[in-house]
């Protein structure tokens, strides 16, 4: 089955049933060390994870690590340009759960992003990026502790699908000509728009299937959260891109109000129900006027549509969601993408789970990570229905490779996400306690040490891992 690697002789496969992992007590888990600083990050991470598992389960549970290759290290083993060998893809597919350090991504040409390729090959359609604050972590924000969000980013569609053509290419020119001369003139709403002849061009596909399976996972996650955090916000730019990002919003609401009708309420539905609870004698038109401040300036046809919306909500869910019952449901709302960038800074405690598309999610997850201490403390997971890969969210920082100085926090916390995904919560809690204790005690690597007031002596990467383990009992 494999050309250059051999799985461990002890341990078992992780299997999946209806998208959920069935994890044995001794799973075999492939790991990719990663490029650049991966040579420092992975040993520190493995030491922390193994220690937590040993303490939590006393030998009853244990991971058999399976070294596989990607990136520059793969080229050393498999030959030039063999950045993602079939051995690695087979191992991840076979054993179900994997973890990886950072991988090099050339800019402006060459190989496609290895991270994107892994997500697309294994259909890891959900990127999960929790952003929470660990007390003592330096942050440019006055109240970073108020931000505690989980970003659900669609991983396989949008412009990241990579269907694009270079400016001046034969196919690109042909497509522009076809759009300018055939499709755009045939679409009245586009009027006299034209694509510049010297443009590069890309395709932005957003599908109903891709959107709804992402939102489904976000809602299922919300069901596991404390009541005060049970909220899913659909983040989009649908005011401009109506048939892609606007459709994402609409399909998200559709899923919430059909498949999860008993568990969810939309923000507009909550307004309608709340208005009737405050004034049982409120007419349909009066309720419509309250949920849409511009109601009186609308045409009669649009006023009628809003009134019909109010009537339908009261007819269909008043019995199940009215009389205050909606307050116990998952709140599903939506926000424009540029607005949410402001609101996670100015009103961070109003949000919990943010579900969005690929490009928005890429920007938003890094921005949120900056608030709570940067990418060095930002974990990530890529999850599909038959496998999952957990990963550091930062770059390879090759100039620091082998110096034992970089922060392993991102990869360690990605390991925490992996343990939680496996159902090994006791071990995950130990690591989180250790990270919190080390940072609170100002035992940190140089990136955090230099920002503390006053600055503190920096630990090495390996020493930070040891500090985390020491604070398991904090």
């Amino acid at each position: 089955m494999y050309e250059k690697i051999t799985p461990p002789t002890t341990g078992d496969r992780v299997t999946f049933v209806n998208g959920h992992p069935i994890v044995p007590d001794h799973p075999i888990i492939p790991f990719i060390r990663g490029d650049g600083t991966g040579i420092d990050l992975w040993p520190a991470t493995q030491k922390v994870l193994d220690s937590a598992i040993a303490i939590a389960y006393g030998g009853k549970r244990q991971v058999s690590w399976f070294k596989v290759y990607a990136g520059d290290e793969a080229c050393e083993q498999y030959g030039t340009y063999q950045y993602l060998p079939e051995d690695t893809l087979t191992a991840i597919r076979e054993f179900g759960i994997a973890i990886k350090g950072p991988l090099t991504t050339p800019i402006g040409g060459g190989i496609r992003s290895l991270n994107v390729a892994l997500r697309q090959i294994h259909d890891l359609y959900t990127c999960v990026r929790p952003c929470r604050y660990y007390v003592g972590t330096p942050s440019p924000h006055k109240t970073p502790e108020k931000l505690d969000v989980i970003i659900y980013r669609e991983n396989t569609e949008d412009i990241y699908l990579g269907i694009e053509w270079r400016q001046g290419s034969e196919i690109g020119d042909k497509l522009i000509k076809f759009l300018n001369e055939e499709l755009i003139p045939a679409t009245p709403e586009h009027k006299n728009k034209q694509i510049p002849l010297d443009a590069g061009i890309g395709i932005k596909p957003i599908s109903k299937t891709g959107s709804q399976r992402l939102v489904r996972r976000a809602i299922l996650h919300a069901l596991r959260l404390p009541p005060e955090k049970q909220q899913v916000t659909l983040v989009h730019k649908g005011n401009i891109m109506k048939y892609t990002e606007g459709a994402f919003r609409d399909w998200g609401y559709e899923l919430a109000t059909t498949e999860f009708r008993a568990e969810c309420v939309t923000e507009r539905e909550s307004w309608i129900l709340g208005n009737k609870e405050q004034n049982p004698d409120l007419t349909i038109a009066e309720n419509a006027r309250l949920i849409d401040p511009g109601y009186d300036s609308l045409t009669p046809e649009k006023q009628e549509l809003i009134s019909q919306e109010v009537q339908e909500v009261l007819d269909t869910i008043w019995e199940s969601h009215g009389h205050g019952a909606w307050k116990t449901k998952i709140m599903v709302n939506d926000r424009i993408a540029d607005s949410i960038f402001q609101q996670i800074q100015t009103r961070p405690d109003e949000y919990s789970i943010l579900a969005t598309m690929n490009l928005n999610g890429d920007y938003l997850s890094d921005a949120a990570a900056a608030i709570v201490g940067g990418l060095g403390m930002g974990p990530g997971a890529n999850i599909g229905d038959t496998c999952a890969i957990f990963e550091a969210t930062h770059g390879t920082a090759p100039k620091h490779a082998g110096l034992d100085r970089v922060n392993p926090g991102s990869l360690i916390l990605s390991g925490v996400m992996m343990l939680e995904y496996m159902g090994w919560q006791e071990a995950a809690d130990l690591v989180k306690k250790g990270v919190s204790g080390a940072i609170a005690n100002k035992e940190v690597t140089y990136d955090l040490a230099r920002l503390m007031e006053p600055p503190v002596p920096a630990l090495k990467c390996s020493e930070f891992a040891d500090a985390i383990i020491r604070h398991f009992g904090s």
Side-chain angles (χ1 to χ4, degrees), residues 184-443:
I184 293 176
T187 309
E189 67 186 278
H190 294 327
K191 298 181 180 179
N192 297 320
K193 294 177 183 175
Q194 290 282 279
I195 299 171
L197 299 179
D198 60 348
I201 192 165
I203 304 296
K204 179 186 175 72
I206 305 291
S207 74
K208 182 174 183 178
T209 298
S211 299
Q212 292 194 333
R213 66 181 182 174
L214 174 87
V215 175
R216 180 179 295 111
R217 280 197 175 270
I219 292 174
L220 289 171
H221 193 145
L223 285 168
R224 303 194 301 268
L225 296 178
E228 67 274 11
K229 297 292 289 183
Q230 291 189 344
Q231 175 181 289
V232 174
T233 300
L234 307 171
V235 179
H236 61 91
K237 193 65 177 169
N239 57 328
I240 304 299
M241 293 172 276
K242 301 181 185 301
Y243 303 135
T244 51
E245 305 220 357
F248 171 85
R249 174 203 59 204
D250 295 343
W251 291 327
Y253 277 132
E254 179 185 290
L255 181 84
T257 57
T258 53
E259 188 172 322
F260 294 96
R261 179 68 282 179
E263 295 84 9
C264 291
V265 65
T266 71
E267 190 169 49
R268 282 178 70 85
E269 288 172 344
S270 73
W271 297 342
I272 294 168
L273 297 170
N275 290 339
K276 182 174 174 61
E277 289 164 2
Q278 290 181 15
N279 184 357
D281 298 325
L282 203 65
T283 67
I284 296 298
E286 289 169 337
N287 201 325
R289 186 172 286 108
L290 288 173
I291 68 167
D292 199 317
Y295 180 86
D296 290 326
S297 62
L298 298 175
T299 64
E301 291 79 12
K302 290 184 178 179
Q303 289 180 350
E304 179 59 25
L305 287 175
I306 298 173
S307 293
Q308 289 176 4
E309 176 190 359
V310 171
Q311 186 69 64
E312 183 179 354
V313 168
L314 295 177
D315 288 345
T316 56
I317 65 170
W318 173 254
E319 292 301 320
S320 59
H321 291 54
H323 306 289
W326 61 269
K327 297 176 183 178
T328 67
K329 310 294 183 183
I330 295 172
M331 174 65 71
V332 181
N333 56 21
D334 73 276
R335 297 292 183 268
I336 300 298
D338 42 348
S339 172
I340 203 71
F341 274 88
Q342 293 186 66
Q343 294 193 33
I344 62 170
Q345 297 181 69
T346 59
R347 298 152 64 180
D349 47 357
E350 294 184 12
Y351 295 97
S352 177
I353 292 179
L354 307 176
T356 189
M357 290 146 289
N358 212 330
L359 182 61
N360 291 338
D362 195 358
Y363 296 152
L364 189 57
S365 54
D366 282 9
I371 295 173
V372 296
L375 291 178
M377 298 299 295
N382 302 285
I383 298 172
D385 291 333
T386 58
C387 66
I389 300 176
F390 299 81
E391 65 180 4
T393 59
H394 51 71
T396 58
K399 71 178 183 179
H400 298 296
L403 300 181
D404 193 22
R405 69 191 303 259
V406 293
N407 184 352
S410 175
L411 192 54
I412 289 172
L413 292 173
S414 296
V416 168
M417 293 182 70
M418 183 184 74
L419 293 172
E420 292 176 333
Y421 182 73
M422 293 163 59
W424 293 14
Q425 191 63 51
E426 298 85 355
D429 288 343
L430 280 178
V431 180
K432 288 190 287 188
K433 184 184 294 186
V435 171
S436 295
I439 294 174
N441 204 44
K442 299 186 177 182
E443 298 175 77

